[in-house]
Amino acid sequence: MPRLPHTTSAAGPTASPDVRRRPRRRAALAAAAAGLAVLAVGTPVAYATLGAGSPSDARPATAAARGKDYIETRLFFGTERPDGGPDVTDRQFLDFIDGEVTPRFPNGLTIQDGRGQWRDSNGVIERERSYELTLLYPASEARMRDPQIERIRDAYEKAYAQDSVARVEERTTADF
């Protein structure tokens, strides 16, 4: 009669291959269960945050205590002229800022150089050097600031034969 392998010790040298793998399988299953538990606990928090009604609902209480409600408006200015004229230079753009923007927003602004891409009215993808202007002002001034920002956009479009100046706005909090 053939002798059967000894199976009383999972770690023993005479244990079958299936029995020797059990501790590794148990460890892998325990690790997977722990990972799923962590994900399950974190998921409701993520969905609760995504479902918030307004940006102020998602802010931590400490941020709301430090900052005040502001509007951040970003304007994107292209530098190539659709009429084939010379590109808007840095000097021309800074003169535009000094003449059109600073008088309306003397408390400050930010300008960043960029590279932009957009589809023109003929369906052609245009790539050009651009500027991003960021304006930050109290939310209570939004109605007053809106026509000022539109005048800035219109003035640039007319001065440099642009099809448009893009405008993006977000409510935020700021503390100075």
Side-chain angles (χ1 to χ4, degrees), residues 9 21-22 28 35 50-51 74 80 87 99 101 106 112 114 116 143 151 157 162:
S9 170
R21 287 188 198 127
R22 283 186 188 153
L50 290 174
R74 294 181 301 160
E80 290 184 10
D87 291 359
V101 182
Q112 296 184 63
R143 284 184 184 221
R151 280 190 218 106
E157 289 169 8
Q162 296 293 300

Side-chain angles (χ1 to χ4, degrees), residues 109-123:
L109 53 88
T110 300
I111 300 168
Q112 296 184 63
D113 289 321
R115 297 288 307 164
Q117 174 177 308
W118 64 292
R119 186 182 308 272
D120 71 11
S121 57
N122 297 318

Side-chain angles (χ1 to χ4, degrees), residues 1 24 26 36-37 44 47 49 54 69-70 82 85 88 122 126 128 130 138 152 155-156 158 161-163 166:
M1 178 164 176
R24 281 189 239 156
R26 284 188 185 138
L36 288 173
Y47 283 121
T49 301
S54 70
D69 288 331
Y70 275 76
V88 177
N122 297 318
E126 299 286 344
E128 62 185 319
S130 61
I152 292 167
Y156 191 82
K158 288 177 184 146
Q162 296 293 300
D163 286 340

Side-chain angles (χ1 to χ4, degrees), residues 98-153:
D98 290 344
E100 296 290 336
V101 182
T102 301
R104 293 180 173 98
F105 293 89
N107 290 340
L109 53 88
T110 300
I111 300 168
Q112 296 184 63
D113 289 321
R115 297 288 307 164
Q117 174 177 308
W118 64 292
R119 186 182 308 272
D120 71 11
S121 57
N122 297 318
V124 177
I125 299 291
E126 299 286 344
R127 292 179 178 92
E128 62 185 319
R129 192 172 58 83
S130 61
Y131 299 98
E132 179 181 347
L133 170 67
T134 303
L135 304 168
L136 191 62
Y137 48 92
S140 61
E141 297 178 8
R143 284 184 184 221
M144 175 186 73
R145 297 298 187 174
D146 181 68
Q148 294 174 334
I149 293 166
E150 288 306 303
R151 280 190 218 106
I152 292 167
R153 293 175 71 200

Side-chain angles (χ1 to χ4, degrees), residues 37-106:
V38 169
L39 288 174
V41 169
T43 301
V45 174
Y47 283 121
T49 301
L50 290 174
S54 70
S56 62
D57 293 343
R59 277 183 274 160
T62 56
R66 282 195 317 263
K68 294 183 181 177
D69 288 331
Y70 275 76
I71 302 292
E72 178 182 355
T73 299
R74 294 181 301 160
L75 301 177
F76 298 88
F77 300 88
T79 58
E80 290 184 10
R81 298 183 196 206
D83 63 4
D87 291 359
V88 177
T89 65
D90 288 340
R91 181 75 265 153
Q92 288 172 315
F93 185 74
L94 292 175
D95 287 346
F96 176 82
I97 294 295
D98 290 344
E100 296 290 336
V101 182
T102 301
R104 293 180 173 98
F105 293 89

